[in-house]
Amino acid sequence: MIVICGGGILGLSIARKLLEKGADEITIIEKEKDLGVHASGRNSGVLHAGIYYTPDSLKARFCLKGNLLMREYCKEKGIPILETGKVIVTKSESEIQVLKELYNRALRNGARVELVDESGVKEIEPYARTVELALYSPLTAVVNPIKILEAIEKELTESGKVKILKGVKFEKLKSSKEILTNRGSLRFETFINCGGAYADRIAHEFGVGLKYRIIPFKGTYKKLKKEKRYLVRGNIYPVPDIRNPFLGVHFTKSYNGDVYIGPTAIPALGRENYGLLRDIDREALKILWQDAYLFFVNEKFRNVALTEPRKYLDRFFFKDIEPMVEGLSIEDIEPSDKVGIRPQLVDWEKKELVMDFLVIKEGNSVHILNAISPAFTSAFAFSEYVVNNYILQEVRRNAL
């Protein structure tokens, strides 16, 4: 039996790909009572188009392909998709060189992009502001992540070959072929760790990836007031700091018409610390110590830690986004209950944030670490890679 730990987009996508390859006994365990409670259901719903990522990285290899596969799936299942595209705008002349680097990266990654001047931006996003140039991505789209998770869940359960056990939490490894959950023991031939924010803990139980630790970052959002939604047609993004894996606070018109502004990247005090002080657990002191240590030894982390928490305050949040959209005032922004956690992997030996997806195979277990943006976009393409390169041989060996 194949056991997949985690019922997020990657766990479901891997199960779907295994079915295509002929697997017929798959169990997915999900600690929550519903799917999409965490990252897979809390993201912005943006299908990215391969712009930001270093060529030859896993993110670069699978983002655009994943985008196209996810589009095809949505159309096949009748799931709404907003094909509105995206502009990446500059706030100052100093960002133009980085914008051109993004353009070159995108071309090397096979993405469809175009450099446009200020008048060209106005044709795409009439109220967007940029300095001299902007980058246009026509293949960026927006979907409802929950609807996609529901469609895949239905597909898997109707196959009769996949069980999805909700409310079942991984606790520890009992033996090389058995885990303990809060609902008792579960045997497996192949174990696949898609544990998201807890993937490092699970991997460590298997003696895998001991030098890696997850540090959570909180992504908070605000919204444009209803009467100001017209300011954004699709997606307006800033030029990011490409030394870090965060894309910056941006504007996204969602599938329900709301225009969300976010996310921030604020160091969090827990893997599920969605509120200001809510959901802080016994790990908070350890996370605080790790954050403090990285603050002193890693300049890139220090920059994030100094700038992002200020965005809890409306005036700093508005200062960050005001140059991107004409006619915007601080009164046009209202609170939103949308918030997510980005489980960022850190190589603790190097004291560096890991920029790419990471897959580690050890014996009959496979561990997917750092499944952060664009993991949702990449899921169908990335899962095919994981199945073909890390899982299929083990499954076939067990079938003999």
Side-chain angles (χ1 to χ4, degrees), residues 70-71 73-82 142-152:
M70 192 72 80
R71 284 166 172 269
Y73 186 78
C74 288
K75 291 171 182 178
E76 175 190 328
K77 299 294 182 181
I79 299 171
I81 177 168
L82 302 179
V142 179
V143 296
N144 182 340
I146 296 296
K147 291 295 183 185
I148 291 173
L149 295 175
E150 290 173 348
I152 302 173

Side-chain angles (χ1 to χ4, degrees), residues 108-162:
R108 293 199 295 272
N109 293 340
R112 282 179 53 196
V113 289
E114 180 183 350
L115 284 173
V116 295
D117 59 17
E118 293 175 65
S119 62
V121 170
K122 295 297 183 185
E123 294 178 13
I124 303 160
E125 287 284 354
Y127 296 93
R129 290 199 298 198
T130 197
V131 178
E132 292 188 28
L133 290 175
L135 189 62
Y136 173 49
S137 166
L139 289 180
T140 300
V142 179
V143 296
N144 182 340
I146 296 296
K147 291 295 183 185
I148 291 173
L149 295 175
E150 290 173 348
I152 302 173
E153 179 184 18
K154 184 173 185 289
E155 185 180 342
L156 295 177
T157 54
E158 287 182 352
S159 74
K161 299 176 181 179
V162 181

